[in-house]
Every structure is written in C-alpha cells, then in structure tokens.
Amino acid sequence: MTLKLAVPNKGRLHEPIVDLLKSSGIGVIDRGARQLFARTNIPELEIIFVRTQDIPSMVSSGAADLGVTGHDLVLESGADVKELLDLDFGKAKMVVAAHESSSIESIEDVEDEVKVASEFPNVTRQYFEEKGIEINLSEVSGATEITPFIGMADLIVDLTSTGITLRTHGLEVVDTLFETSVRLIANPQSLETKGKRIEEIKRALESVIQAKPRKLLIMNVPEEKISKIKEIMPGMSGPTVSKVEGTDMLAVQSVVQAKEVYEVINKVKAIGAQDILVVPIERVVM
C-alpha cells in the first residue's frame, strides 16, 4: 500500500525538509531537477513535489496521504488535516503591525473600517471577527510591509521571525495571532487505513528532531567520584557506567542537552573526569 508524501518543490523550506528526510533514513532518490515525483529508500513511500501553499488542500483531498508545510498555511487553508508532528524549524509569528507613526499602539485602539493588508485573508478575517472589528481587507501577494507607506493599509497581518523586516520599515507589532512552524500533516482517512505505516514515517522524522538538541558525553572517571558525576549528568535514563579493565576508573556515557555541554564538561573535569569525548547523535527513538 503506497503512501504519498507532499513536500515543497522549492523555497526556504525545500532544502531543510529534504535534509530531514535524508537524516531520518527515508531519503529522496531518482529525482531530476524538474521531476514532480521521486522514490525513497522506503519502497511504499513516494514523494510529490508541489507548492508549499498547495500541500494542505492536497492532503485534505487525499491526493497525498502526508504533507510537510507551515502551520500558518494549514490555518489559512482551513483544510481538514491532522497535524502529527512539529518539525521544529521555520518558526515565526503571525502578527498585526502598524507604522510607528500611527496612533494605533494596541488592538484596543483599532476602530471599525480600518484598512488591513495581508497575504492571509482567511486568518485575518477570522481574527478581526473574533475581536468584533469590521475591516476593509486588501489581499496582497507579497511586500505586505510597504502597504502602509502607500496609503493602502493602516495595519498589516503578516509573518515575522526576527522582526527585522518590520523594524526596517518602521512597523511595530500591535498583537500576535499565533505562532507557527513546519508540521507533518496527514489525511484523516489515511490515518485510519494506513496508520501503521504513517506512524513509522512519523517516528523516523521525530527521531532526528529529538536528536538535534542532544550530545553523547563519554568520559573516564575515578571510581570514588562516580556518585558526584551522577549528580551532574543523569542522562536520559541515568548515565551508563562500566568498569575500565586494569584500572580504578569507570567509563561513563550520558546523553545531555547540547546547550549544557560546556557547563557539564567544566564540572566533571573539576571532579576528576578524564578523556572526555563529545559525540553527535543522529537519531533518538524514544
């Protein structure tokens, strides 16, 4: 039973997703520069390369069983899909912003008939309807941030990751609608009929994501210091300890958060740890 996975054919999400598939063991093979389909290392899984914004509707319709796209595009499309996994990249916020010279400093300052520009008309309408504010909406296909300068809009609704583009154009955030990132999504019917295979794909991707913030620390420790070492580096299920033959040393292995490696090394070194190795982890299967 073949599974079809829709992924972006180009753009900022394309390469990270292809890299994730490779790291997870799924891979992409036999794809030419203009091919829309590709095989993978899994015989029952086929990749479809399409526009990122089309993926929610493709998955909802059943043309693809799975897809990788932004949470913002799922909400904008209103597609009937199930979000299975946050892939932990492509993070951004959907915000309402006004020019710094505007009298609008918070959403409470916004009055009816305000002019709003956005590439996301559906989430924009829903947001202002929930706030009870009537708007004049202009749908644009890009360069939303310039619309206040040309008198087209008083407010914009757009994605921002660092906020640099907004600040460069003199815009300030008035409110945040939601946070977004790249998600693995599934067709609800496919989950019922192909659930086991879909869970295997999810697990493979998840194992790479779980490994990213972790490192494996390996070291030799004097036997009498092991209790102090255990207090410092408990690991995922406690450190693994084994005897170093012919010595009074113990070999200790532990998985730690990458951001804690610097501090942990300094602490264990002060206690007497030797021959410390920091090893990358490719995948973690819980």
Side-chain angles (χ1 to χ4, degrees), residues 27-125:
V28 177
I29 57 178
D30 294 341
R31 190 212 175 192
R34 296 187 178 181
Q35 284 183 312
L36 300 180
F37 299 89
R39 295 188 298 114
T40 69
N41 295 326
I42 302 172
E44 300 86 1
L45 180 64
E46 182 179 63
I47 302 293
I48 309 173
F49 292 96
V50 294
R51 296 195 312 164
T52 309
Q53 56 267 43
D54 293 336
I55 292 176
S57 59
M58 285 193 68
V59 174
S60 177
S61 69
D65 301 289
L66 296 167
V68 179
T69 191
H71 175 62
D72 54 294
L73 294 176
V74 173
L75 295 181
E76 175 63 23
S77 69
D80 180 20
V81 298
K82 176 73 173 179
E83 292 190 357
L84 301 182
L85 183 64
D86 187 337
L87 301 184
D88 202 37
F89 65 90
K91 295 182 179 181
K93 295 180 179 180
M94 186 73 73
V95 302
V96 182
H99 194 268
E100 58 189 7
S101 63
S102 170
S103 60
I104 300 174
E105 297 182 355
S106 70
I107 198 64
E108 285 74 22
D109 298 327
V110 179
E111 298 179 352
D112 285 342
E113 305 303 324
V114 65
K115 294 185 293 182
V116 183
S118 181
E119 292 184 65
F120 303 88
N122 293 330
V123 296
T124 298
R125 288 192 187 96

Side-chain angles (χ1 to χ4, degrees), residues 2-285:
T2 301
L3 281 174
K4 293 182 179 180
L5 169 63
V7 303
N9 59 351
K10 58 184 178 180
R12 63 185 179 88
L13 301 183
H14 174 76
E15 288 299 330
I17 291 170
V18 171
D19 289 343
L20 176 60
L21 293 173
K22 180 180 178 181
S23 298
S24 68
I26 295 172
V28 177
I29 57 178
D30 294 341
R31 190 212 175 192
R34 296 187 178 181
Q35 284 183 312
L36 300 180
F37 299 89
R39 295 188 298 114
T40 69
N41 295 326
I42 302 172
E44 300 86 1
L45 180 64
E46 182 179 63
I47 302 293
I48 309 173
F49 292 96
V50 294
R51 296 195 312 164
T52 309
Q53 56 267 43
D54 293 336
I55 292 176
S57 59
M58 285 193 68
V59 174
S60 177
S61 69
D65 301 289
L66 296 167
V68 179
T69 191
H71 175 62
D72 54 294
L73 294 176
V74 173
L75 295 181
E76 175 63 23
S77 69
D80 180 20
V81 298
K82 176 73 173 179
E83 292 190 357
L84 301 182
L85 183 64
D86 187 337
L87 301 184
D88 202 37
F89 65 90
K91 295 182 179 181
K93 295 180 179 180
M94 186 73 73
V95 302
V96 182
H99 194 268
E100 58 189 7
S101 63
S102 170
S103 60
I104 300 174
E105 297 182 355
S106 70
I107 198 64
E108 285 74 22
D109 298 327
V110 179
E111 298 179 352
D112 285 342
E113 305 303 324
V114 65
K115 294 185 293 182
V116 183
S118 181
E119 292 184 65
F120 303 88
N122 293 330
V123 296
T124 298
R125 288 192 187 96
Q126 181 179 352
Y127 169 80
F128 282 101
E129 284 175 3
E130 291 175 353
K131 296 292 183 180
I133 302 172
E134 295 184 6
I135 62 173
N136 293 318
L137 178 62
S138 296
E139 183 177 351
V140 295
S141 58
T144 310
E145 63 275 359
I146 72 168
T147 56
F149 288 92
I150 59 177
M152 187 176 179
D154 303 304
L155 297 171
I156 68 168
V157 175
D158 204 5
L159 288 176
T160 181
S161 52
T162 64
I164 293 176
T165 301
L166 292 179
R167 291 194 294 272
T168 299
H169 290 84
L171 299 171
E172 296 181 345
V173 174
V174 171
D175 197 12
T176 299
L177 281 68
F178 55 82
E179 295 184 355
T180 183
S181 60
V182 178
R183 312 287 170 90
L184 175 68
I185 63 174
N187 175 275
Q189 287 70 42
S190 296
L191 281 174
E192 294 181 6
T193 59
K194 306 175 183 179
K196 182 176 182 296
R197 299 299 290 164
I198 289 174
E199 180 61 28
E200 291 173 355
I201 301 302
K202 174 190 172 185
R203 185 184 302 121
L205 298 175
E206 190 172 26
S207 69
V208 177
I209 296 166
Q210 290 172 337
K212 283 183 179 180
R214 295 180 167 96
K215 300 291 183 182
L216 176 63
L217 258 61
I218 305 173
M219 65 192 70
N220 292 332
V221 179
E223 193 165 356
E224 68 273 12
K225 302 290 187 180
I226 189 62
S227 60
K228 292 184 178 180
I229 292 294
K230 286 182 176 180
E231 292 176 2
I232 295 172
M233 44 187 301
M236 293 173 65
S237 299
T240 301
V241 181
S242 58
K243 180 72 176 178
V244 179
E245 294 296 331
T247 72
D248 62 351
M249 304 289 285
L250 297 174
V252 179
Q253 299 183 42
S254 184
V255 176
V256 301
Q257 294 291 317
K259 63 184 179 181
E260 298 173 358
V261 168
Y262 175 85
E263 183 179 359
V264 169
I265 287 178
N266 287 328
K267 287 182 177 180
V268 298
K269 187 67 177 175
I271 292 173
Q274 303 173 17
D275 309 320
I276 302 171
L277 301 178
V278 180
V279 182
I281 300 175
E282 292 187 1
R283 297 173 65 179
V284 174
V285 181

